[in-house]
Amino acid sequence: MRTAVVIGTGLIGTSVALALTDRGVTVHLADHDPDRARTAAARGAGTDAPPEGPVDLCVVAVPPAHVAATLADAMRAGTARGYLDVASVKGGPLRELQALGADLSAYIGTHPMSGKEQSGPLAGSGDLFEGRPWVLTPTRDTHTEVLNLALELVALCRAVPVVMDADAHDRAVALVSHTPQLVSSMVAARLEEAEETAVRLCGQGIRDVTRIAASDPRMWVDILSANPGPVADVLAALAADLDETVSSLRALQSADDGKRREGVTGVEDVLRRGNTGRARVPGKHGTAPAAYETVAVLISDQPGELARIFADAGRAGVNVEDVRIEHATGQQAGVVQLMVAPSAAPLLAASLRERGWALRQ
Ligand SMILES: NC(=O)C1=CN([C@@H]2O[C@H](COP(=O)(O)OP(=O)(O)OC[C@H]3O[C@@H](n4cnc5c(N)ncnc54)[C@H](O)[C@@H]3O)[C@@H](O)[C@H]2O)C=CC1
Ligand SMILES: O=C(O)C(=O)Cc1ccc(O)cc1
């Protein structure tokens, strides 16, 4: 692929354009808000001048409700050899495109399973998709050349291609992305009117659970409006678990021993099922869940501390597989959790201690 057009230069469009430009593809940027295309161009994502002739690939990265019309317009203008979108839902845009009478052989629906709670061109980054799944939903009509262009795009973004049927994709993302967004928002909404004294106690658990509650509501209304049935199905199952857990907790308040035992069993059941589900969440790069060991190091909130700790881990010859940072409320300090292969943990701990770091058990 030598040339591409990216329509919609927000978080995802700009990230795709940055990755492609970085790998030598000439990228033309377009957005219905020209300021956004200009901002993406200023970040080195390509040029906001239109191409002189048809390009190899047209990437549509606009909100789901506008995907089909934007694709149909681009196809009518003869923009490219192949067309794809990156919307978070796949069944709706495909059916709308069909209804618009578009040539489906030149199109493939795709969805990078990677994002952020921020939107807009300033939030984009060329490494956003590295090691993450990128779903491709070819239909029987999709031309092989177009599938190959999409596979090339995924490879250039260093993502991992996953081929799925559009409706199966929508059911899957209802479970792993759309329902978690709503649940995160609902937990965070409990804080809206909470006492300041309670909010000050927020620790890492609630930070993890509410991270995506900071997402753009307009974008999510668009996504949920395009996938309401599958999301409602998952939420209904969750509501049944909620009802049962409420009953178990009420039973725990009872004076009756038998009822309290039932309550314990109910609460334990949901927590254990949670352990089982969590153990199925894939590790980095979509591999089997990794059993890393954590080395927790105390750091002070000073410039260069993180760089120093990574450099010291490197000197010990240990590969840091993942990292988490816990900030201590109201203190200029925190804990860095370095996740490493179990065989490397004792070496890393000893080496960091030797270099003066304080480790937390
Ligand atoms: N935000 C996320 O984490 C992820 C989003 N997606 C999908 O990527 C697509 C883009 O999302 P973001 O980049 O997050 O949104 P964004 O809000 O950062 O960017 C969307 C851009 O599209 C432009 N736009 C809107 N309507 C347009 C139209 N008719 N013609 C041209 N430009 C138009 C907007 O001006 C904006 O710059 C959506 O379909 C979304 O479902 C996919 C994976 C992750
Ligand atoms: O950051 C996360 O945890 C996400 O799950 C982000 C995300 C949001 C929307 C998508 O369509 C895909 C991924």
Side-chain angles (χ1 to χ4, degrees):
M1 181 189 328
R2 309 242 308 259
T3 51
V5 162
V6 172
I7 306 179
T9 54
L11 167 72
I12 300 297
T14 302
S15 300
V16 169
L18 283 168
L20 291 182
T21 301
D22 201 36
R23 318 262 129 85
V25 178
T26 300
V27 181
H28 298 267
L29 306 160
D31 197 293
H32 72 163
D33 175 351
D35 274 352
R36 292 191 158 214
R38 217 170 296 134
T39 304
R43 293 203 52 209
T47 169
D48 60 344
E52 279 174 7
V55 294
D56 294 322
L57 181 66
C58 173
V59 177
V60 169
V62 304
H66 303 285
V67 163
T70 307
L71 279 165
D73 284 349
M75 286 173 166
R76 233 174 279 123
T79 307
R81 288 197 285 137
Y83 300 80
L84 61 78
D85 74 297
V86 293
S88 309
V89 276
K90 301 275 51 101
L94 174 63
R95 282 184 277 275
E96 282 171 44
L97 204 55
Q98 249 160 348
L100 289 170
D103 169 18
L104 291 182
S105 68
Y107 165 72
I108 180 165
T110 84
H111 179 203
M113 290 306 300
S114 177
K116 273 190 191 171
E117 51 282 11
Q118 297 114 327
S119 51
L122 293 175
S125 63
D127 60 1
L128 185 65
F129 312 109
E130 283 189 14
R132 302 298 302 268
W134 191 316
V135 180
L136 306 176
T137 60
T139 64
R140 256 183 257 150
D141 297 319
T142 308
H143 205 288
T144 311
E145 186 199 8
V146 176
L147 174 61
N148 284 340
L149 279 168
L151 284 167
E152 198 183 342
L153 172 78
V154 173
L156 290 170
C157 291
R158 304 204 168 126
V160 182
V162 179
V163 175
M164 279 178 99
D165 163 77
D167 289 327
H169 162 275
D170 289 356
R171 287 192 298 276
V173 291
L175 179 67
V176 304
S177 178
H178 303 174
T179 304
Q181 174 62 48
L182 281 172
V183 172
S184 174
S185 297
M186 287 179 207
V187 173
R190 296 284 94 216
L191 299 178
E192 198 182 10
E193 299 197 339
E195 299 283 344
E196 189 52 35
T197 45
V199 174
R200 280 178 56 190
L201 301 184
C202 282
Q204 202 54 40
I206 191 150
R207 278 174 223 270
D208 287 350
V209 171
T210 60
R211 178 179 64 83
I212 52 178
S215 301
D216 179 1
R218 281 164 310 172
M219 172 60 71
W220 275 98
V221 168
D222 267 351
I223 293 175
L224 294 165
S225 307
N227 202 21
V231 179
D233 290 344
V234 182
L235 264 189
L238 198 66
D241 271 350
L242 272 181
D243 279 345
E244 270 185 37
T245 307
V246 170
S247 302
S248 300
L249 291 169
R250 296 287 179 227
L252 280 173
Q253 291 180 301
S254 161
D256 181 283
D257 277 352
K259 276 229 149 48
R260 278 207 307 279
R261 273 197 298 277
E262 269 174 36
V264 170
T265 308
V267 172
E268 203 176 343
D269 176 60
V270 78
L271 292 169
R272 283 196 193 286
R273 284 166 49 221
N275 288 157
T276 312
R278 169 67 198 163
R280 294 195 66 191
V281 175
K284 236 181 16 169
H285 310 314
T287 51
Y292 296 136
E293 212 156 282
T294 300
V295 175
V297 191
L298 294 167
I299 57 160
S300 56
D301 192 3
Q302 279 171 13
E305 282 287 274
L306 276 178
R308 206 156 66 77
I309 203 165
F310 288 131
D312 283 350
R315 275 187 206 103
V318 172
N319 191 28
V320 177
E321 306 287 349
D322 210 342
V323 68
R324 274 168 175 248
I325 303 172
E326 262 181 54
H327 300 280
T329 312
Q331 284 176 30
Q332 298 293 80
V335 174
V336 177
Q337 297 181 344
L338 301 171
M339 267 78 109
V340 297
S343 58
L347 169 68
L348 178 64
S351 168
L352 290 179
R353 268 202 202 92
E354 221 169 80
R355 290 172 192 277
W357 293 97
L359 267 54
R360 204 182 67 175
Q361 292 311 310

